[in-house]
Amino acid sequence: MQPTNKPQEPSPDRANISHKALPAHERHNDMVPRWAAAIGTLAIGFLYLALPQQLTFGPSWLLLALEIVLLLPLIYSWTTQRPLQHITTRILTLIILGVVTLGLAGSIALLIYTLPGNKQASILLRSAGLLWGSNILVFALWYWEIDGGGPHKRRLSGHKAADLMFPQQVDGNTTGWVATFIDYLFVAFTGATALSPTDTYPLTQQAKMLMMIEAIFSLIIIVLLAARAVNILG
């Protein structure tokens, strides 16, 4: 007499694998929310809008307009049942990051170029503050997007340490802790303030390069431009 084959209950591991293998449209509602990153992106545009005209390329509203145009298809995909392909989302996100980074670098270059002839300390201090805040937001977005291949791939890998290692991930993230945009914003803030990593460490070359560039931008803004403004006041 042959034994009866009884259906086996799927193990937790198999359940996880099955969930990871679901099509993109079925995983859409379970993806990490991107609204905080979208708000951070728009905040960069508004900071750029507040800069003096001599520190922007073209009209000061141009960067914000480009951000809105590029964000619209992403926001549409998040709020409907027609999500974009992962590669399309990734490309749009990287284009946005490239645009805001070029805007930041260009404004810093213009600020340095116009520095000798600018005798108004209040304008220098305001410009330095706006650029410093933009620097933090720009690199928070970079860290959030490149770490582990982006929020979607981080979720599929169980939020293990990849490009950046948070304190909660030192033991392999056995608790299932999830880094949010605020965590990457904190990394960018400490990098722009201390000019070096604090409790979160870069593990890959691309993460180290991004931290180096952020520190260089912050050093230029804080040390050179703020010092110039203090000298004018003195």
Side-chain angles (χ1 to χ4, degrees):
M1 184 175 185
Q2 295 181 350
T4 305
N5 292 329
K6 295 182 179 180
Q8 296 181 353
E9 294 294 330
S11 64
D13 291 339
R14 290 191 61 181
N16 290 334
I17 294 173
S18 299
H19 179 68
K20 294 176 184 179
L22 289 174
H25 69 276
E26 294 184 28
R27 296 196 304 261
H28 177 64
N29 293 330
D30 192 40
M31 292 178 65
V32 177
R34 297 170 178 259
W35 291 106
I39 293 172
T41 303
L42 293 175
I44 296 170
F46 283 109
L47 290 175
Y48 194 83
L49 186 65
L51 285 172
Q53 189 64 45
Q54 65 267 25
L55 300 184
T56 64
F57 289 96
S60 57
W61 51 261
L62 181 60
L63 182 65
L64 181 60
L66 289 174
E67 290 176 349
I68 292 174
V69 170
L70 292 169
L71 279 173
L72 281 177
L74 295 175
I75 293 175
Y76 176 78
S77 71
W78 303 339
T79 55
T80 65
Q81 296 301 318
R82 298 178 181 177
L84 297 173
Q85 294 291 330
H86 174 66
I87 185 63
T88 304
T89 301
R90 181 79 166 166
I91 290 173
L92 284 173
T93 303
L94 291 176
I95 291 174
I96 293 172
L97 287 173
V99 168
V100 297
T101 305
L102 287 175
L104 172 64
S107 292
I108 292 176
L110 287 174
L111 187 54
I112 295 173
Y113 178 76
T114 59
L115 187 62
N118 196 333
K119 304 297 182 181
Q120 297 179 305
S122 59
I123 294 179
L124 284 174
L125 288 172
R126 180 168 66 90
S127 300
L130 292 171
L131 290 175
W132 189 72
S134 298
N135 188 38
I136 293 172
L137 287 171
V138 166
F139 284 93
L141 289 168
W142 271 112
Y143 300 145
W144 179 79
E145 183 59 33
I146 64 102
D147 187 26
H152 178 61
K153 288 190 176 181
R154 284 198 299 273
R155 184 182 67 80
L156 296 182
S157 66
H159 301 280
K160 305 293 184 181
D163 294 87
L164 298 170
M165 184 172 68
F166 291 88
Q168 296 89 338
Q169 297 172 320
V170 173
D171 62 349
N173 197 15
T174 55
T175 62
W177 177 82
V178 178
T180 65
F181 180 72
I182 299 301
D183 297 292
Y184 295 101
L185 183 64
F186 176 76
V187 173
F189 176 81
T190 56
T193 306
L195 306 179
S196 63
T198 53
D199 65 343
T200 303
Y201 299 101
L203 302 179
T204 60
Q205 291 183 354
Q206 63 178 353
K208 293 175 182 178
M209 287 297 299
L210 286 173
M211 285 193 172
M212 288 171 59
I213 296 171
E214 182 191 9
I216 291 171
F217 284 175
S218 186
L219 187 66
I220 293 172
I221 296 168
I222 294 175
V223 176
L224 297 181
L225 305 181
R228 172 68 172 170
V230 170
N231 289 336
I232 294 174
L233 288 173

